[in-house]
Amino acid sequence: MDNGALKAALDTLDKDRAAARERLFELLRIPSISTDPAFAQNCRDAAAWLVADLRGLGFAAEAHATQGHPIVLATDHDSDGPHVLFYGHYDVQPVDPIELWETDPFQPTLIEREDGTSFVRARGSSDDKGQVMTFLEACRAWKAASGRLPCKVTVLIEGEEESGGASLPPFLEEHASLLGSAEVALVCDTGMWDRHTPAITTMLRGNVTEEVTVHGADRDLHSGFYGGAAANPITILARALARLHDAQGRVQIPGFYDGVPDMPQSVLSQWASLGFQAESFLGEIGLREPAGEKAHSCLEQTWSRPTAEVNGIWGGYTGAGFKTVIPAEAHAKISFRLVGDQDPAQIRDSFRSFMAEHIPPDCRITFKSHGAGGAISMPFDAPIYQKAQQALTEEWSKEAAFIGCGGSIPVVGQFKKMLGLDSLLIGFGLEDDRLHSPNEKYDVASSEKGARAWARILEALAR
Ligand code: BES
Ligand code: ZN
């Protein structure tokens, strides 16, 4: 592959910017919220839009029906280069609280900043449609400029990443011979270190999600007539949840820290060299004090330490006015982020026993699982990581950083376990993209330089 071909692809991307933006806007207008059944047709529409776009690029593409939302699978293997598997997701998070959006979440809006930069505001702009389109635009430019791609490319875009992703593992199994023949997975669902510094994410936390219900009396009760004598499920639940952490921020579930590694000094020093500022990380969201384990830095708290978080809690009367009631039930949703070799099944079991021990004998507690997956780290000294780092460094004229990530991308563990595939986690999101929040946005520079970066990475991997 000569560098003239890469230059032609990069020039094509630069010339095609306006049309690329219009394509992204079309995809962003489809409200593909996977968790809410009311949007199932929109999910099918987003999958169909991607299939049409991929076919237009010359891929053989199909939307495969599943128990849940369709999975888009496409191939273009008309290349002598290595086989790479690209992964992204077309589904998005719900938009509530809708009243906090400054513009309609599904009417993408281009907003110019005073410094001349700009961004697109829309649900899914950063997570993950804007990121998916960076890769498709890079492929489009290669095809337009040279007639073919530098690598054999398989594209897998799912629609349930934000809602449990139950359909994906059986799909991976069914298509294991195609998908597993790739040399590496390119996963575009993470961020840059900052707006000037591209990054390769080398670690993802795992997760365990649990819904618990504490059952007390066999009906809702008058809190005067029974109050004092009858067990209150909300109080019982709140007390148990409050015991999840001690005053040092350590999780109190027995065995919770089994398999949590001490970070090697070399990694801690590399992280220190990134110049992370807890004050600005927390200041940006209106906070000041790192709230996790006191023995670990703020960066470690989000990248390399496990957590227990209550994501929702409800019960009793929460409507207008007041109702003096002792409810029959109280509920909470709790998630754990896992690191190292922490075992999701063991964490789930120990959590359930821990909670059960805090329930009085005449009450009951029941659990519902919402999925789980282990943590994963990438072998980032392998040549493929160095090639990708070099390509990113060339695009930004700034050395690409190797970073951790507090979030979870379940497919990365499944690729490893089911297909033996390592992943290159490269994305162009920024810290202020407001993932999962109102007014999600994606910088135009993320879209444009992201596409140029993929064009370079495809060429670098083919070398
Ligand atoms: N794109 C995110 C993961 C992410 C978050 C990467 C922050 C980089 C920075 C992904 O779509 C996501 O939100 N995943 C969920 C998975 C969960 C539902 C199993 C998460 O991390 O909560
Ligand atoms: Zn995502």
Side-chain angles (χ1 to χ4, degrees):
M1 185 83 43
D2 64 288
N3 261 342
L6 172 59
K7 181 161 188 317
L10 295 175
D11 289 345
T12 303
L13 281 170
D14 291 345
K15 283 195 209 104
D16 197 34
R17 283 174 173 173
R21 172 142 358 119
E22 194 35 54
R23 284 187 284 269
L24 172 59
F25 275 29
E26 278 182 24
L27 181 58
L28 290 172
R29 285 188 194 108
I30 306 172
S32 44
I33 302 170
S34 59
T35 201
D36 184 343
F39 294 88
Q41 180 58 46
N42 304 106
C43 290
R44 289 195 285 275
D45 292 346
W49 188 94
L50 287 163
V51 165
D53 194 49
L54 282 157
R55 286 184 183 160
L57 281 177
F59 278 74
E62 215 68 62
H64 295 256
T66 69
Q67 297 281 336
H69 304 300
I71 295 175
V72 174
L73 184 63
T75 51
D76 183 328
H77 290 188
D78 181 25
S79 161
D80 304 324
H83 178 197
V84 297
L85 168 63
F86 174 82
Y87 166 88
H89 60 94
Y90 66 75
D91 62 322
V92 302
Q93 287 275 330
V95 295
D96 62 286
I98 183 76
E99 64 280 7
L100 296 184
W101 283 81
E102 288 171 37
T103 48
D104 184 329
F106 297 109
Q107 286 305 329
T109 309
L110 179 70
I111 294 167
E112 317 250 355
R113 298 191 186 91
E114 278 178 5
D115 65 3
T117 63
S118 54
F119 61 88
V120 172
R121 183 190 298 134
R123 173 55 91 226
S125 54
S126 179
D127 193 6
D128 186 34
K129 290 171 174 174
Q131 307 243 58
V132 165
M133 290 311 290
T134 60
F135 187 81
L136 298 196
E137 294 304 341
C139 292
R140 194 182 327 273
W142 266 108
K143 298 279 282 196
S146 302
R148 62 182 188 159
L149 299 168
C151 299
K152 296 179 190 67
V153 176
T154 298
V155 170
L156 172 70
I157 307 175
E158 71 155 316
E160 295 175 34
E161 196 273 350
E162 304 286 12
S163 59
S167 303
L168 195 60
F171 187 85
L172 297 182
E173 200 158 288
E174 193 184 328
H175 297 270
S177 64
L178 167 67
L179 303 173
S181 73
E183 286 183 26
V184 68
L186 309 177
V187 176
C188 192
D189 197 17
T190 51
M192 314 221 311
W193 168 246
D194 63 28
R195 63 183 59 250
H196 307 293
T197 319
I200 299 177
T201 297
T202 64
M203 304 165 59
L204 290 167
R205 291 196 286 191
N207 75 305
V208 169
T209 49
E210 281 279 276
E211 185 172 333
V212 306
T213 301
V214 173
H215 308 259
D218 61 7
R219 73 204 76 165
D220 283 5
L221 304 170
H222 188 294
S223 71
F225 194 81
Y226 288 100
N232 185 324
I234 296 182
T235 311
I236 292 162
L237 177 61
R239 193 184 298 136
L241 293 176
R243 288 185 178 149
L244 280 172
H245 300 89
D246 71 6
Q248 301 306 308
R250 294 216 13 126
V251 175
Q252 298 300 294
I253 298 170
F256 185 75
Y257 290 96
D258 292 356
V260 175
D262 287 329
M263 277 293 109
Q265 199 47 54
S266 58
V267 174
L268 291 178
S269 323
Q270 189 241 318
W271 288 358
S273 74
L274 293 169
F276 176 81
Q277 299 287 340
E279 304 75 55
S280 56
F281 178 68
L282 292 174
E284 156 96 10
I285 51 165
L287 294 172
R288 272 194 312 272
E289 296 289 320
E293 292 172 275
K294 291 206 185 345
H296 295 274
S297 72
C298 183
L299 200 60
E300 288 174 80
Q301 287 176 10
T302 57
W303 284 2
S304 62
R305 300 299 300 173
T307 65
E309 297 287 356
V310 182
N311 300 122
I313 181 162
W314 69 103
Y317 183 71
T318 56
F322 211 91
K323 182 180 178 195
T324 47
V325 65
I326 297 175
E329 293 181 350
H331 313 262
K333 296 194 193 225
I334 294 113
S335 66
F336 301 89
R337 297 282 173 176
L338 313 188
V339 302
D341 294 323
Q342 275 180 304
D343 175 6
Q346 185 218 313
I347 301 274
R348 189 186 300 289
D349 289 350
S350 320
F351 167 70
R352 291 183 175 189
S353 312
F354 175 90
M355 293 297 285
E357 273 170 26
H358 289 91
I359 305 303
D362 58 346
C363 295
R364 277 187 312 125
I365 184 162
T366 55
F367 301 91
K368 183 175 170 196
S369 157
H370 287 265
I376 180 141
S377 53
M378 267 37 84
F380 61 96
D381 41 11
I384 261 179
Y385 292 81
Q386 309 305 315
K387 285 183 188 174
Q389 184 190 29
Q390 181 65 30
L392 288 167
T393 301
E394 276 162 20
E395 176 59 26
W396 269 270
S397 304
K398 176 135 194 239
E399 191 179 0
F402 288 112
I403 63 173
C405 172
S408 309
I409 305 178
V411 71
V412 175
Q414 293 155 10
F415 282 159
K416 184 73 191 173
K417 232 191 226 152
M418 302 175 66
L419 306 172
L421 271 185
D422 286 318
S423 296
L424 252 174
L425 294 161
I426 296 176
F428 314 102
L430 297 174
E431 198 169 280
D432 61 357
D433 278 357
R434 298 172 182 258
L435 306 187
H436 300 194
S437 300
N439 300 312
E440 179 178 350
K441 64 88 177 156
Y442 199 52
D443 272 47
V444 170
S446 293
S447 287
E448 294 177 353
K449 291 182 82 63
R452 287 174 53 95
W454 282 125
R456 290 179 188 275
I457 293 167
L458 286 174
E459 189 265 347
L461 296 180
R463 242 184 272 147

